[in-house]
Amino acid sequence: MTLVDFPNSSSAAPRIERVRHELKRRVLTVAAIERLTPGMLRISFGGEDLSDFVSLGADDHVKIFIPTEAGEPERRDYTPRRYDNASRSLVIDFAVHEAGPATQWALEARLGDTLEIGGPRGSAIISADVKHWLLIGDETALPAIGRRIEEAGPDQRITSIVAISDMDDRQVFETAADVKTLWACRPLDQAADPSALLALVKDIELQPETFLWIAAEASVTRALRAHLVDERGHPLSWTKAAGYWVIGKADAHEKF
Ligand SMILES: Cc1cc2nc3c(=O)[nH]c(=O)nc-3n(C[C@H](O)[C@H](O)[C@H](O)COP(=O)(O)OP(=O)(O)OC[C@H]3O[C@@H](n4cnc5c(N)ncnc54)[C@H](O)[C@@H]3O)c2cc1C
């Protein structure tokens, strides 16, 4: 599991409900492929196995299994960006980068190809009482950030700060919430350098009872968390942070 559970240490800490799901493997079929932005490939999957797919949290993840010649598949974590049981559909957004097996698979995917997925194993549902959010991340976090924004209600105020490598990679989300989106543009080969995100984060006013969610390359997440929690005193019980990947390492994520 990638994401870190911080104990709810203060009485005012938000409720986080953890729901376990039956661990199931599903075989899906590629139903549509769209180059959403230059750096993001959106693949829509279909298949009867999606009739009982469940993902209750915006930052849930599924394992995707990439077949290899060696036999044992490669496994990578991806966010269920959107799904619909009735139409048996699941959307996954793949950030395009120096391609490992998962990215390579997505780049080469054709209509009708199949992909096996497992999970989500569980969902962490943050109480709807949380009204203020600060969502920070890179391209790999954008699916979870987009989903959170789209699922938010009209009484929620969200600031998102996302690192991208091209202003054309900005995305627009349909939402009832009051959203302010900031984009930190930096070359992809600087994706493990926190400077671009930190420069924007430093000017952000942190209101009390703001839920802080961070996911990016692990050292970037660590630097952002150090700034916001250690230096500026944002409570850990209002924070969820994860390294969604680690520079130079395949299939890596970091727990904090
Ligand atoms: C909970 C969770 C949810 C995630 N959701 C998504 C999602 O919805 N969409 C998505 O695109 N990614 C997502 N990721 C990140 C994704 O799992 C990793 O980027 C993964 O390493 C990609 O697999 P790969 O086979 O392409 O590369 P790997 O074989 O794992 O890595 C190959 C090389 O690529 C580099 N690399 C890996 N990721 C990146 C990157 N993003 N940018 C630049 N270089 C990179 C590594 O340093 C490594 O040297 C998620 C990760 C987690 C933990």
Side-chain angles (χ1 to χ4, degrees), residues 2 17 27 55 86 99 101 111 127 129 146 153 165 180-181 187 208 212 224-225:
T2 317
E17 189 191 348
V27 178
S55 165
L111 298 183
S127 166
D129 295 343
S165 59
K180 180 177 170 194
T181 310
L212 168 64
L224 291 162
R225 184 172 170 272

Side-chain angles (χ1 to χ4, degrees), residues 128-133 152-158 176-178:
D129 295 343
V130 173
K131 299 300 178 210
H132 295 267
W133 295 82
D155 57 347
Q156 311 227 310
R157 296 188 66 174
I158 305 177
D178 178 359

Side-chain angles (χ1 to χ4, degrees), residues 1-3 39-40 59-62 66 74-81 92-105 138-144 186 188-189 191 215 217 242-254:
M1 186 81 171
T2 317
L3 303 172
M40 193 69 83
D59 59 357
D60 285 355
H61 68 276
V62 292
I66 315 294
E74 293 279 353
R75 299 148 185 255
R76 299 290 185 270
D77 294 337
Y78 280 81
T79 306
R81 174 65 179 81
I92 296 179
D93 288 349
F94 293 82
V96 177
H97 51 81
E98 174 207 345
T103 311
Q104 195 65 43
W105 180 88
D138 65 11
E139 296 87 345
T140 62
L142 199 43
R186 47 82 180 114
L188 197 54
D189 63 9
E217 193 280 328
Y244 266 18
W245 59 284
V246 177
I247 189 80
K249 285 193 196 167
D251 185 25
H253 50 257
E254 228 174 73

Side-chain angles (χ1 to χ4, degrees), residues 52-256:
D52 60 353
F53 180 84
V54 56
S55 165
L56 303 175
D59 59 357
D60 285 355
H61 68 276
V62 292
K63 284 269 175 220
I64 68 167
F65 299 95
I66 315 294
T68 63
E69 287 182 3
E72 193 57 25
E74 293 279 353
R75 299 148 185 255
R76 299 290 185 270
D77 294 337
Y78 280 81
T79 306
R81 174 65 179 81
R82 190 178 289 154
Y83 74 100
D84 179 44
N85 295 124
S87 61
R88 315 288 197 249
S89 72
L90 168 68
V91 171
I92 296 179
D93 288 349
F94 293 82
V96 177
H97 51 81
E98 174 207 345
T103 311
Q104 195 65 43
W105 180 88
L107 287 168
E108 291 171 2
R110 296 291 171 264
L111 298 183
D113 285 357
T114 56
L115 180 71
E116 193 175 6
I117 66 161
R121 200 184 272 277
S123 304
I125 306 160
I126 299 167
S127 166
D129 295 343
V130 173
K131 299 300 178 210
H132 295 267
W133 295 82
L134 176 57
L135 311 175
I136 310 174
D138 65 11
E139 296 87 345
T140 62
L142 199 43
I145 290 175
R147 179 170 163 185
R148 170 105 44 213
I149 290 174
E150 284 177 3
E151 291 179 354
D155 57 347
Q156 311 227 310
R157 296 188 66 174
I158 305 177
T159 300
S160 68
I161 307 179
V162 182
I164 47 175
S165 59
D166 188 314
M167 286 312 255
D168 287 344
D169 283 320
R170 288 172 296 175
Q171 295 185 21
V172 178
F173 307 113
E174 275 188 34
T175 180
D178 178 359
V179 177
K180 180 177 170 194
T181 310
L182 303 173
W183 302 95
C185 209
R186 47 82 180 114
L188 197 54
D189 63 9
Q190 289 172 20
D193 179 344
S195 320
L197 282 170
L198 272 175
L200 293 178
V201 168
K202 283 189 168 145
D203 288 337
I204 289 289
E205 205 180 310
L206 264 175
Q207 294 206 26
E209 308 207 334
T210 296
F211 199 92
L212 168 64
W213 185 93
I214 312 170
E217 193 280 328
S219 63
V220 173
T221 301
R222 210 175 304 118
L224 291 162
R225 184 172 170 272
H227 170 70
L228 289 162
V229 175
D230 303 342
E231 288 172 33
R232 291 174 59 182
H234 192 74
L236 268 184
S237 54
W238 284 83
T239 303
K240 188 173 182 184
Y244 266 18
W245 59 284
V246 177
I247 189 80
K249 285 193 196 167
D251 185 25
H253 50 257
E254 228 174 73
K255 299 179 182 184
F256 292 55

